[in-house]
Amino acid sequence: MLYRDADAWRSAPSKRVLVFGMSGLGKTHMSTTVRDSGRWFHYSIDYRIGTRYLGERIADNAKAEAMKVPFLRDLLMSDSIYIGSNITFHNLSPVSTYLGKPGDPAKGGMPIAEYRKRQEQFRRSEIAALEDTGYFAERAQQLYGYPNFICDTGGSICEWVNPADDHDPLMTTLSAVALPIWIKGDAAHTAALIARFDKAPKPMAYQPEFLLLCWTDYLKETGAHEEAVDPDAFVRWTYARALAHRQPRYEAMARWGVTVTADEVASLKGEADFITLVASALERRARAA
């Protein structure tokens, strides 16, 4: 690992970490807490995806919808108006809106073929954004003078690695430039995530094989035709299965770094708390070795 023990971590003049885990367990809280100290550069994978790798597709998707309105079409065709996404660290909805949900277009869905195409675009974009981590860590220090760096990953990172492979290319690359930190939740956290998702279902990225299995099973179970699937009903039905699918993958990825709990992350008040938290996690790892 990048830091051999707690002492090495505490004394390191430049600290670099990469946080991963289920969305909703505290990745952004952790990143914001250290960023607010003014000494940490916050690299958001979803922000990078939305501004660099899917930026044009997101804007073009919005333009395509606007072009359906004659008044707006005339203005766009004459370059009288401009449409772009106003993506920020606190508003990443343009990315999820583009990713979308499969099913009945009348209910906000899209054909499954288009959905799979966008899933693949997102997969490639997220891997590329993750591979940019080392570049941004160096850039943060050399260009902006930040001594420390935190990479805030998306919940789908576990879909693109092979956690059973000790030499997985992506995890090998990432762990060489930052200390991976897994935020681990318990059964109560999982139940809370499911309840929250049920109230406001959001688009997700899935491993292609997992998506195909869920889509096939859902059609069989409901008897619905592809074009008649309720998009929100499908993603709700899939969510708990997605969490169960991801949990062992996150756990296997944790061997590249350290593990902290969601409750520990929720208690963070500042940079000093964070440094102590990671040091404690390194000590736990050493004792378990």
Side-chain angles (χ1 to χ4, degrees):
M1 293 191 300
L2 204 58
Y3 308 100
R4 66 181 181 277
D5 54 33
D7 289 338
W9 160 255
R10 288 185 182 279
S11 63
S14 176
K15 296 175 174 62
R16 297 179 179 181
V17 300
L18 175 144
V19 57
F20 68 93
M22 295 178 186
S23 295
L25 290 184
K27 295 192 300 292
T28 300
H29 171 63
M30 178 187 287
S31 301
T32 302
T33 297
V34 297
R35 185 185 70 207
D36 287 349
S37 72
R39 293 168 38 82
W40 289 75
F41 184 93
H42 178 192
Y43 176 53
S44 166
I45 293 298
D46 284 340
Y47 182 80
R48 177 66 169 167
I49 291 170
T51 55
R52 172 64 176 86
Y53 292 106
L54 285 182
E56 287 186 356
R57 295 185 188 278
I58 290 170
D60 286 350
N61 186 53
K63 290 174 187 175
E65 291 300 313
M67 292 285 276
K68 297 176 182 178
V69 181
F71 173 73
L72 295 178
R73 176 183 173 83
D74 291 342
L75 291 174
L76 283 168
M77 293 297 290
S78 62
D79 290 329
S80 299
I81 61 172
Y82 169 79
I83 292 179
S85 69
N86 189 28
I87 189 169
T88 68
F89 276 16
H90 302 292
N91 178 23
L92 297 166
S93 59
V95 177
S96 60
T97 298
Y98 178 76
L99 194 57
K101 305 167 188 173
D104 186 353
K107 296 180 179 180
M110 67 180 70
I112 188 64
E114 175 65 19
Y115 183 70
R116 285 174 177 158
K117 183 174 76 172
R118 295 191 186 193
Q119 287 277 317
E120 176 59 18
Q121 291 168 356
F122 185 89
R123 183 190 70 83
R124 294 198 305 266
S125 297
E126 184 164 26
I127 291 172
L130 287 164
E131 289 175 339
D132 288 341
T133 299
Y135 164 69
F136 270 88
E138 292 296 329
R139 186 178 186 226
Q141 189 167 27
Q142 296 177 4
L143 184 60
Y144 299 113
Y146 286 96
N148 307 309
F149 174 88
I150 184 167
C151 175
D152 178 3
T153 71
S156 51
I157 181 176
C158 65
E159 305 284 9
W160 324 132
V161 305
N162 179 0
D165 181 3
D166 289 337
H167 304 288
D168 177 77
L170 188 54
M171 287 306 299
T172 298
T173 297
L174 292 172
S175 60
V177 298
L179 174 68
I181 301 174
W182 175 36
I183 301 180
K184 181 180 181 180
D186 57 23
H189 291 116
T190 299
L193 291 177
I194 292 172
R196 187 174 71 177
F197 190 88
D198 190 60
K199 292 180 180 178
K202 298 179 180 180
M204 288 182 63
Y206 309 101
Q207 190 181 63
E209 298 82 3
F210 176 78
L211 172 60
L212 178 60
L213 177 63
C214 287
W215 184 251
T216 302
D217 287 350
Y218 184 80
L219 294 180
K220 288 179 180 178
E221 182 175 312
T222 63
H225 295 291
E226 289 187 357
E227 64 277 7
V229 167
D230 182 318
D232 284 344
F234 172 72
V235 295
R236 284 191 181 102
W237 183 90
T238 305
Y239 185 68
R241 291 164 179 78
L243 296 189
H245 160 75
R246 289 181 174 183
Q247 180 69 15
R249 301 180 71 84
Y250 290 135
E251 188 167 5
M253 289 167 59
R255 70 181 184 279
W256 271 279
V258 297
T259 300
V260 299
T261 69
D263 289 338
E264 288 175 323
V265 172
S267 68
L268 292 176
K269 297 294 191 296
E271 180 188 20
D273 291 344
F274 174 71
I275 291 174
T276 298
L277 173 63
V278 176
S280 298
L282 284 163
E283 290 169 349
R284 286 198 297 262
R285 179 186 171 100
R287 289 195 298 269

